[in-house]
Amino acid sequence: MIAVENLSHHYGGQPTLLDLGFRLAPGEKAVILGANGCGKSTLLKILDGLIAPGAGRYLYDGEAITPLRLKAGGLRRRFRQEVGLLFQNPDVMLFNPTVADEIAFGPRQLGLADVDDRVAHWAGKTGVTHLLPRAPFSLSGGEKQKTALAALLAVEPKLLLLDEPTAALDPRSTGWLVDFLAGLKQTVLCSTHNLSLAPELAPRALVLGEDHRLLYDGPIERFLMDETALVQANLAHIHSHRHTYFRAPAHHHHPLKKGVVEHRHFHTHDW
Amino acid sequence: MPALPVDRARLIAYLTALVTFSFLTSPLWLGAGLAAVLALAGRQGPRLLRRALLATLAFSGAASATYAALSWWTQHRLPLDWLLAANLRVLLMALLTFLFIARVNLFRALDFSRRLTFLLTLAVSQSLGLRRTLDDFRLGLHSRAIRPAGLKARYRAAARAAAWLLDRALANAHESAQALQSRGFFK
Ligand SMILES: Nc1ncnc2c1ncn2[C@@H]1O[C@H](COP(=O)(O)OP(=O)(O)OP(=O)(O)O)[C@@H](O)[C@H]1O
Ligand SMILES: [Mg+2]
């Protein structure tokens, strides 16, 4: 469905992405993992045809995509309907007076007849029915994210690009999103730096390193077991700290009693 | 006494000139000031002058027209001297400011004070951050526009972006002040 070939991107001389290459088959789900600033959002914007790759190519269904090529009516219409991006900051994609109008925005552009039914359907699916008359800007972060998601789904895209969709969600909504995505038939590419959540979102991981290159592409479980790779991607670190414990964990050879022990400990970031 | 770093000397000259110009009322002196700044600007002069003209045209034009209409209505005469002086002064200050921005590294000019550098860094980083988000608003509309976005959608998106910017600028100012306070800045 998508193919990325030798793709690089710079912001004013600073590299943001270097020589990336991967493919995604129709219906496949993958997560993009990477520390802050390694280029996740930039990659998703390129895949949504919003910014041009500096070098290399991005093909959607065999068609090279750049902002320039999307100026042509036919390709643009198909691409914008089939590909949806949930921005990291959902504020930037919500500009209609009510949540209902927001969800109807896409279907109206397509001139669909059953706009109201679609709004009701997707509002129900994403749990924002009770918010329909509200103004999107007045909602909480998580509610905005669900509204934006409903607005994207209402045009039934084939490829969903999600930029840290769980960042503003509480645990219950996060659980809901995990189940919801699992039930979608769409191709989904989702960025996150939440390691414990990642394997629930997709079986495949694309890991961007701090050098802005693709550090790993493959089954997520294997990446998560590779401590060296985790540290290299700056998604985990090793540091000394103090533990209060009641029972010694099997891998630590501490006496079996309550106490405080300082030791080195392998850590992943989940925040 | 250590030599004054050039950026700081320029900052002082700029501030002094700005204050001086704001006291000048004679169009003749203001004209002379304009000529002096242009001479200082050298080859950059014409470009900076054009930018200064463009930047001040809307404001000066509106203010002048209002003032002229008012005095015509109340005193039946046009305050030509005043209009000339006011417009020259605004232009001169804009030109001087543009020249200053083009020539002076503010970070170096302010490096004598950690506090001022800190404030400048804060201001610059916030405006960069805000600019990035404004860019994202444009991309947000773009990515959802299956057909070229209509006037209404553009207007709405721009209005949302403006409202967001205002909200955020206020919240940021508030938060920055709190952050500065918590770091002992105002003591
Ligand atoms: N509009 C911009 N102009 C200049 N530099 C930018 C812009 N947007 C992002 N960058 C820079 O590009 C790099 C990659 O940014 P990006 O937003 O893609 O990272 P990210 O992986 O999404 O990070 P995060 O986890 O913080 O969301 C960063 O160093 C960032 O500062
Ligand atoms: Mg990001």
Side-chain angles (χ1 to χ4, degrees), chain B residues 127-142:
Chain B
S127 65
L128 277 183
L130 292 178
R131 210 204 59 211
R132 267 185 209 177
T133 312
L134 282 186
D135 269 355
D136 269 1
F137 269 98
R138 191 174 48 78
L139 295 181
L141 173 65
H142 223 57

Side-chain angles (χ1 to χ4, degrees), chain A residues 45 48 50 76-77 80-81 85 87 89 91-97 102 105-106 108-110 137 151 155, chain B residues 132-134 136-149 153-154 156-158 160 164 167-168:
Chain A
K45 284 177 191 164
D48 195 36
L50 294 171
R76 174 209 182 105
R77 197 182 152 94
R80 289 276 168 246
Q81 179 184 351
L85 168 64
F87 281 73
N89 169 9
D91 267 316
V92 305
M93 50 188 297
L94 302 175
F95 41 81
N96 285 284
E102 204 64 75
F105 180 78
R108 275 191 198 134
Q109 291 182 81
L110 291 173
F137 67 83
V155 294
Chain B
R132 267 185 209 177
T133 312
L134 282 186
D136 269 1
F137 269 98
R138 191 174 48 78
L139 295 181
L141 173 65
H142 223 57
S143 89
R144 293 188 58 200
I146 297 168
R147 289 184 291 153
R154 273 171 207 265
R156 278 185 180 155
R160 269 318 311 149
W164 180 91
D167 261 15
R168 191 45 49 103

